[in-house]
Amino acid sequence: MNGRWIKGLMAISALSGFIWLGGLGWTLQDYFAGAVDTPAAPAPVEEETAPPIPDDGKFRVVALGDSLTRGAGDPDGKGYVGYMTDELKTKAADQDVLVNNYGFDGMRTPELTSSLAKPAVRAELKAADVIVVSIGGNDLFRSGETLGNLDPGYIATIQEAYLNDLDGVLKELRTLNASAELFLIGLYNPFIARENAETTTKIVRDWNYRAAETAADYPDTVLVPTLDLFQLKIQDYLALDQFHPNAEGYKLIGERVASLITWEEESE
Amino acid sequence: MINLVYNEMVKITGKRRLLVVALIIAILITLFTYAQAQQAADNRERFGDVDWRIALEQRIAGWEARLASGGFRGDDGELELRIAQQRYYLDQDVNPAEPGAPTFVRGFVENGISLLLPLMMMIVAADLVSSEHGAGTIKVLLTRSVRRWRILLSKYLALLLSVSFIITLFGLLAAVISGFVFGYQGWDAPVLTGFSTTGGELDTSGVRIAPQWQFILMELGLAWFVSVVVATITFMLSVLVRTTAAVMGIMLACLIAGTILRTMVSSWETAKYLFMVNLELIDYLEDAAPPIEGMSLGFSMLVLLVWGVIALIVSFVSFTRRDVY
């Protein structure tokens, strides 16, 4: 009786031995041959120029920029772009509003420059009625790194680089689309309730001022301030990460931008 | 020959080695399952009000925006695969933070391959030959008309059978026990594999998606290979050293040294030829950097294979030539 049990065990063991040997063989085959039959050549590059988008009477908004545009910190993920759109839709119910959001978390200005080279983005920008851009927060704060180095010389260096890149971005945007209203979202100071608040707020204020000066060189380009919105009751408007706005904070920004958008199309 | 192997299997089961191994594995799996269930509950409590679907959709939307705007610093192909991977969870309505038994098995094999599984192999292999010395039965065994190498081969084959059985047991117990708590869904969840390192940088050009059941099978295949090599080396020690305690001590020292070395050796390059540094084969399938530059799956398997073959040769030569008195 005991003997049959052990023989059964041996049979199962032998069988599983072959299974695992098979698994090993599959791994080797997959590891060494698998890499070969994936296409070595990169996927065909997108056509160099996307077809132009016809004017179909829709009100087109293109949003570019960092996590604020993306909506990080908002449980619903709408971000200021979402609340701005909500507001626009209630303002003019008969108008089709079309939003293209190209924002992603962590975007810095050089990355914005390179994303402006994408044909699809360029086509959308050319057809846009309104362009909103939130950029600079990551250039300045660098995931909080800058807080450890508030030396004016250092800030001046990154600020110069930023302004230079920003100028390039605005120039490119205006080349693509000379008529759209362009809103540049100013920075707020998420660290206003922490130590060195005076220094950080001064840096942000100065940053916004210089950005506004750069924007002033271009027509219909508006720097929308947000520093004041978050100045007094910061804790009510920040998300759990203590950096991004929460839904309420995004609503404030979205409503402010929406209030600046005028409806010339309607009167036509 | 098969009778000799059978005889050895009777000895192994008679010593209740496999039962001990099964019990250890079962208890550990229960512990880890409990720990992971606790962690999941903890996470639910902390992020309870956030719907994981919305969070996941946001993450996918973020990645897609990154693809669309071209600001991604890495490889577009990898990002597309990651999007496809996350979409699976949405489509199947599976919370990626609370996956089922297959994901548990995958993680458990991954973590067990370098220490837990080799220890289990050691329990079986350590006294295969040395206990014959201890009990004095070696003379009885060798005075029979069977040639010595056949006796040793039968022992080795019985060991291979036991190793295979333990791997099966490991996979089965992990799946069954964790499934009680987590459910049995997710066998075809996509897993990213095919990463490689070139010049110290992670190369994602060969990345592709494998269904989870295939990945687990591949993992267990690698675990089996590692276990066979460790068992073979223990087997050699069991031939060379006559007390089981010494065999266990040496093997334990090697294995533990291996776990320490893996985290420390990046500057000591020749350490990559030691078998215990090469045990974490599964890492090569995933996006983990190798402990020492220049190590790859092929390299590690070759090192292990050489160690295993040499150990086997040493065992046979020593066992057939040695005087027993």
Side-chain angles (χ1 to χ4, degrees), chain B residues 33-204:
Chain B
T33 306
Y34 178 75
Q36 220 171 65
Q38 284 296 309
Q39 201 184 10
D42 197 40
N43 281 346
R44 247 199 314 276
E45 204 170 299
R46 203 179 319 163
F47 307 107
D49 50 337
V50 179
D51 187 356
W52 63 267
R53 273 180 215 84
I54 293 178
L56 203 57
E57 273 163 11
Q58 277 181 30
R59 190 179 326 158
I60 293 175
W63 282 341
E64 277 174 344
R66 219 165 256 236
L67 268 186
S69 54
F72 184 53
R73 275 158 291 209
D75 184 6
D76 278 4
E78 188 202 351
L79 202 58
E80 271 162 21
L81 287 179
R82 287 206 187 275
I83 292 174
Q85 187 188 25
Q86 300 301 322
R87 277 209 186 290
Y88 168 89
Y89 291 108
L90 278 184
D91 295 343
Q92 302 288 318
D93 203 22
V94 176
N95 183 347
E98 292 170 29
T103 309
F104 178 86
V105 176
R106 181 159 66 91
F108 197 56
V109 176
E110 211 175 293
N111 289 314
I113 192 171
S114 62
L115 194 59
L116 184 59
L117 272 173
L119 282 180
M120 298 299 116
M121 300 310 146
M122 206 181 79
I123 293 178
V124 179
D127 67 344
L128 266 188
V129 181
S130 58
S131 69
E132 305 271 5
H133 285 287
T137 47
I138 186 87
K139 285 179 203 165
V140 184
L141 202 61
L142 294 184
T143 48
R144 288 202 280 175
S145 61
V146 185
R147 313 250 330 235
R148 276 191 186 189
W149 66 265
R150 292 184 59 129
I151 291 175
L152 195 65
L153 185 62
S154 68
K155 279 183 183 294
Y156 188 65
L157 288 180
L159 177 62
L160 286 188
L161 287 179
S162 309
V163 167
S164 309
F165 183 71
I166 292 172
I167 298 288
T168 309
L169 206 64
F170 193 78
L172 273 184
L173 283 176
V176 171
I177 295 177
S178 66
F180 275 130
V181 182
F182 303 125
Y184 295 97
Q185 75 283 3
W187 287 103
D188 52 353
V191 179
L192 290 193
T193 181
F195 295 91
S196 54
T197 21
T198 38
E201 294 243 333
L202 197 67
D203 178 9
T204 54

Side-chain angles (χ1 to χ4, degrees), chain A residues 157-224:
Chain A
T157 329
I158 57 178
Q159 191 173 36
E160 283 314 313
Y162 165 70
L163 291 172
N164 195 23
D165 290 336
L166 179 68
D167 193 55
V169 165
L170 292 176
K171 194 174 283 168
E172 184 67 26
L173 285 176
R174 276 298 172 228
T175 319
L176 286 169
N177 188 330
S179 61
E181 285 164 354
L182 209 164
F183 296 101
L184 185 64
I185 310 298
L187 300 191
Y188 60 96
N189 181 10
F191 307 110
I192 202 162
R194 308 232 207 134
E195 56 181 11
N196 294 332
E198 266 178 43
T199 322
T200 51
T201 304
K202 184 185 173 345
I203 290 168
V204 172
R205 202 168 37 204
D206 188 45
W207 189 278
N208 284 333
Y209 175 69
R210 296 290 305 275
E213 273 195 330
T214 307
D217 293 342
Y218 298 92
D220 295 331
T221 305
V222 182
L223 187 121
V224 184

